[in-house]
Amino acid sequence: MSQSNAYLDSVAHPLVAIVNGVDKDVERGEDMLMLGYSLVLMAPIFAPIAPPRILLPLMALAFAISVCRARLNFLGIRAKVAAAIEALDGRQDLYLLRPINEILTEHPKTTLTEGFNPLKNLLRTAKSILGAMLINPLWMPIFYTLGLQIAEEKQLGLLNRAVIAVEEKTAHWR
């Protein structure tokens, strides 16, 4: 499927198609984040087999991978929406997509390179060190990547609320 009509081929009304497509992609991003949580929560199953020096970095890696996949999904949503809006340029009802467009242009506030840099995120680093001191020093990377995971989840939550607001405005076209 080409990028320009990725959201414009499922429903008769193009705005409904865009909103439905964004909604499905937001759900996919949330599923990616939940997979990261699930993998980390399944780690105790492997505790009798794998020592902590192996298992704990794998837990942090699971969070890191789910964060990266969710961010790529979010950026893909942004590209698809931009292409769909460009294809529909000139329509009078495009103003209804403004809440979605505002979230997509405002977020993400930082790149993943900055997000993974502990020196640029001193508050997250301090919280991670504090949590690691309370539990185990090897948990610091897990807490740090958990902070990234929560930031991505907030971003997708904002986009989901914007989609719900637009769905309410376009409900009469369904």
Side-chain angles (χ1 to χ4, degrees), residues 116-167:
F116 281 113
N117 187 348
L119 299 176
K120 291 192 176 186
N121 300 293
L122 296 177
L123 183 61
R124 185 180 301 140
T125 303
K127 288 179 181 178
S128 302
I129 290 172
L130 178 64
M133 288 186 336
L134 293 174
I135 295 178
N136 183 343
L138 295 175
W139 278 72
M140 193 274 185
I142 295 169
F143 288 135
Y144 190 83
T145 53
L146 177 62
L148 285 169
Q149 181 102 351
I150 291 169
E152 289 296 315
E153 190 173 358
K154 285 180 183 177
Q155 181 174 286
L156 282 172
L158 288 172
L159 184 57
N160 195 21
R161 280 191 288 255
V163 167
I164 290 170
V166 174
E167 281 178 340

